[in-house]
Amino acid sequence: MTEFDAVAVGRRVLAAEADALTQQADGLGAAFAKAVDILYAAKGKIVCSGIGKSGHVARKIAATFASTGAPAFFVHANEASHGDLGMIAEGDVVLCLSKSGEVKELADVLAYSRRFHIPLIALTADPQSALGKAADVVLQLADAAEATAEVKAPTTSTTLQIALGDALAVALLERRGFTARDFKTFHPGGKLGAMLQTVGDLMHGTAELPLVSLDTPMAQTLLVMTEKAFGIVGVTGPDGALRGVITDGDLRRHIDGLMGHTAGEVMTPGPKKTAPPGMLAGEALALMSDPLPMVTVLFVVEGQKPVGILRVHDLVRAGV
């Protein structure tokens, strides 16, 4: 008996599914474009349905659509036959999943969609199945063996279903012009929600800004720097625009005769890194670290005028 090699099995499965995905991508064409057209034209919801493993995938696809701004929900094929068909209405689109396309539990969903002229998109391996023949458009699964060839448990086929669902959702969101800021509306919590907050959501406002004018004596500048406790002071011109900043490094470079200078003489012109209030928190964190040099504080500006200040600690505390 050969020694069992779990890693070899895992690699074989992943390679088989990766090959199937490549085959699926190569075969994508007019039917996929038509499916996206149908979804885009829908005035109502996207109703995803299936049973067994296909049902679990359908539920996931519905969640992906909903999270990217396309109203969607899952209807279990069995429950549909016992009253949940009433959840499907004019203006909706039905997306049905079944590898064989011959699952008897889907019969009522198919009949209902045909009776009320509700567009039907099928994800199936057999376009000539009952599901395939009933559908307005068929997204045919690639002719690829399951990763468990002898047992034939749904593996490769469900991977293809998930990937096709993702492809539909991404194509639809791009056609609709759905942006990261739209995405934030549907993901207010967790790490993702934190990344999608804006600088304006997290910044300290104008009342806390450490600002002095170009001709402010350094004695007074140091008082403002100490009072505001951000480790930095912004220096503004007569028009209120941010002309430069003073940090601890600038103080050390001008330590000899520091008190004889003004803020404009000590400041580093710029600064090179600022952020608008509408910038995403994740983008602000990336800006702080790259390109170098890394900074821990950003002035928030609108029209070159400072309107807030943001520390890396504010981002960390928000979970970014």
Side-chain angles (χ1 to χ4, degrees):
M1 180 178 178
T2 13
E3 185 178 351
F4 175 70
D5 187 342
V7 173
V9 173
R11 286 176 176 164
R12 186 190 74 225
V13 170
L14 293 174
E17 296 197 354
D19 288 343
L21 286 169
T22 299
Q23 186 180 340
Q24 189 75 59
D26 290 343
L28 222 56
F32 182 82
K34 183 178 178 182
V36 174
D37 286 343
I38 290 172
L39 294 169
Y40 181 74
K43 303 299 182 187
K45 303 170 294 297
I46 302 169
V47 183
C48 302
S49 188
I51 197 163
K53 302 298 185 295
S54 292
H56 293 305
V57 174
R59 189 186 296 274
K60 184 271 176 192
I61 292 173
T64 301
F65 277 127
S67 72
T68 51
F73 63 91
F74 170 72
V75 171
H76 193 283
N78 275 339
E79 297 300 326
S81 300
H82 296 278
D84 282 2
L85 283 174
M87 300 169 71
I88 307 173
E90 184 180 351
D92 291 347
V93 174
V94 174
L95 178 65
C96 262
L97 282 69
S98 169
K99 180 183 177 182
S100 70
E102 295 292 351
V103 179
K104 64 180 190 284
E105 290 88 349
L106 286 173
D108 289 337
V109 175
L110 303 188
Y112 187 88
S113 72
R114 301 304 79 191
R115 178 183 175 189
F116 292 101
H117 307 290
I118 294 169
L120 174 64
I121 300 170
L123 266 66
T124 181
D126 185 3
Q128 297 308 310
S129 63
L131 172 58
K133 289 178 178 178
D136 295 288
V137 59
V138 176
L139 299 181
Q140 185 176 0
L141 301 180
D143 184 14
E146 301 289 5
T148 51
E150 294 182 4
V151 180
K152 297 195 184 300
T155 47
T156 304
S157 59
T158 50
T159 297
L160 293 176
Q161 288 176 335
I162 290 173
L164 274 171
D166 287 344
L168 286 171
V170 173
L172 182 60
L173 78 85
E174 290 194 11
R175 181 163 180 183
R176 294 171 61 243
F178 193 81
T179 67
R181 285 174 177 78
D182 298 317
F183 199 53
K184 174 193 172 186
T185 304
F186 302 99
H187 297 77
K191 178 74 173 177
L192 186 55
M195 294 290 285
L196 294 173
Q197 291 185 85
T198 65
V199 167
D201 294 330
L202 302 175
M203 73 181 188
H204 300 265
T206 51
E208 298 179 66
L209 277 175
L211 295 176
V212 295
S213 60
L214 288 165
D215 56 0
T216 301
M218 280 308 299
Q220 185 178 341
T221 299
L222 288 174
L223 287 176
V224 173
M225 192 172 184
T226 302
E227 178 189 350
K228 299 298 184 180
F230 287 104
I232 193 171
V233 171
V235 184
T236 58
D239 57 355
L242 187 65
R243 297 291 185 84
V245 295
I246 299 174
T247 64
D248 290 338
D250 296 305
L251 298 180
R252 287 192 294 271
R253 282 188 290 275
H254 293 84
I255 192 68
D256 291 333
L258 178 65
M259 294 306 177
H261 290 292
T262 63
E265 294 167 339
V266 174
M267 73 178 189
T268 297
K272 294 180 180 178
K273 294 185 180 185
T274 59
M279 177 181 279
L280 295 178
E283 295 173 341
L285 184 59
L287 175 64
M288 285 179 164
S289 56
D290 186 40
L292 294 174
M294 180 176 176
V295 300
T296 59
V297 181
L298 282 177
F299 274 96
V300 184
V301 299
E302 275 187 311
Q304 298 186 320
K305 295 182 179 180
V307 294
I309 191 166
L310 181 73
R311 303 172 301 174
V312 71
H313 305 83
D314 301 318
L315 297 170
V316 172
R317 187 168 56 245
V320 178

